[in-house]
Amino acid sequence: MDQTMVRFDEPYARTNDIAGKSTIRITNTGCKKRGFTVALAATASGHKLPAFVILKEPTGRIPPRVLKDLKVPHNVKVTCSFNGWMTTNLMESWLTRIWGPNEDDVRRLIILDRASIHRTSSLQEKLKDLDTDLVLIPAGCTGLLQPADVSWMAPFKSALRREWAVFIRNKQKTLAGNLKRPTRQDVIGFVSAAWEAVTEETISKSFKRCGISNALDGSEDGLFHTRLAEVNVGSVDNDITDELNEECVNLILDDDSDISFNGFSDND
């Protein structure tokens, strides 16, 4: 699972105009600074969990009148916070609403970055109740080891911009003649379509590209993405690395162990 900030205005980073112009006007609705958070999560099989949209609401709740008329697509869940950011309470809400209970009687593993809201004792207790082990990606390594960073976010953001561009091309105007700003309903639709555009194949491959695989014999190591494949792990004796790999796997997956894996410490 990973989170990203989304703006109500999502223009492309490039445009075309006459060569030599010193100023180029980018069409927008004036909502460049208005944003919200989207949390995306998926399983290694390629199954996408509903996108978790956290709107910014000054009162801390979506007005009942708005909520009543809001049409939420099947692949989106909507909530809010005062600043539109993920909070500890919302993270626990995400676990309840999106991650959900263990229905297959198989212990699960969730991989998160080292954000402070992912390291609270209450979150770890919640994960324990949901039969889920937590692995925290070491600081500075999300660009190498987090599937969302490596493979999902780029196509998701690209699809978001396409949806926004279609909205702008429709040129809906206010009574004053200005471009109509995207509503909550509009941006929820953007997120839904953009998340739908990320293929299951992209999702499933992303885990293997980050070295997250059940093939402990190394048979899928050739699927690493370029940056990860080029990492120099040093000339460590194979017997030592095999022993460490086995120890780590047992620590995470061994039900008979009295030790639970709670992620990496700040010194790791």
Side-chain angles (χ1 to χ4, degrees):
M1 188 270 269
D2 194 20
Q3 305 146 40
T4 185
M5 175 60 71
V6 175
R7 302 293 179 184
F8 274 63
D9 271 343
E10 284 282 348
Y12 286 101
R14 298 180 180 180
T15 188
N16 295 320
D17 213 313
I18 299 172
K21 269 199 169 184
S22 59
T23 303
I24 298 175
R25 184 179 182 277
I26 304 296
T27 302
N28 64 82
T29 66
C31 293
K32 183 179 180 180
K33 295 184 178 180
R34 188 180 176 193
F36 57 97
T37 298
V38 178
L40 301 178
T43 67
S45 66
H47 173 65
K48 292 179 287 186
L49 303 181
F52 196 56
V53 174
I54 306 171
L55 298 173
K56 179 180 179 180
E57 299 291 344
T59 62
R61 67 191 187 108
I62 301 173
R65 173 181 53 82
V66 174
L67 190 59
K68 179 182 177 182
D69 296 333
L70 210 56
K71 296 179 177 62
V72 181
H74 72 281
N75 63 344
V76 172
K77 300 292 184 184
V78 180
T79 187
C80 69
S81 67
F82 291 103
N83 53 16
W85 298 349
M86 179 71 87
T87 64
T88 300
N89 288 339
L90 287 180
M91 185 63 205
E92 293 182 19
S93 175
W94 179 88
L95 287 173
T96 300
R97 298 177 61 187
I98 308 297
W99 188 249
N102 186 358
E103 298 178 350
D104 299 324
D105 198 29
V106 175
R107 194 159 185 84
R108 298 175 293 177
L109 180 73
I110 189 170
I111 301 170
L112 302 173
D113 60 34
R114 291 189 59 82
S116 58
I117 59 173
H118 299 157
R119 293 181 282 142
T120 63
S121 57
S122 60
L123 182 74
Q124 294 189 21
E125 285 299 318
K126 183 77 171 178
L127 288 170
K128 184 178 179 181
D129 292 340
L130 295 172
D131 296 328
T132 301
D133 292 311
L134 170 65
V135 170
L136 295 175
I137 297 173
C141 294
T142 55
L144 292 173
L145 302 174
Q146 191 170 60
D149 269 6
V150 172
S151 297
W152 314 352
M153 287 304 178
F156 174 73
K157 286 294 187 75
S158 180
L160 265 179
R161 292 187 181 96
R162 288 197 299 270
E163 293 299 317
W164 179 86
V166 170
F167 175 86
I168 289 295
R169 291 191 190 105
N170 287 335
K171 295 183 178 179
Q172 298 182 49
K173 299 289 184 68
T174 64
L175 294 177
N178 300 317
L179 279 176
K180 181 182 176 182
R181 296 181 177 185
T183 63
R184 297 177 183 86
Q185 185 67 67
D186 291 325
V187 296
I188 289 171
F190 297 168
V191 170
S192 173
W195 190 218
E196 190 70 30
V198 182
T199 66
E200 289 188 359
E201 182 181 10
T202 296
I203 298 292
S204 61
K205 284 184 177 180
S206 69
F207 284 85
K208 295 176 182 179
R209 293 184 70 205
C210 292
I212 303 170
S213 168
N214 289 328
L216 301 180
D217 60 357
S219 60
E220 294 180 340
D221 289 359
L223 300 176
F224 290 168
H225 64 87
T226 305
R227 289 184 61 209
L228 183 58
E230 292 176 350
V231 171
N232 182 8
V233 296
S235 55
V236 181
D237 185 80
N238 287 335
D239 291 336
I240 296 177
T241 55
D242 289 343
E243 182 180 346
L244 287 173
N245 285 337
E246 183 177 357
E247 182 179 349
C248 290
V249 170
N250 288 338
L251 187 60
I252 297 173
L253 301 178
D254 189 357
D255 289 335
D256 296 328
S257 175
D258 292 328
I259 304 172
S260 61
F261 183 76
N262 294 318
F264 300 95
S265 71
D266 292 332
N267 297 322
D268 290 338

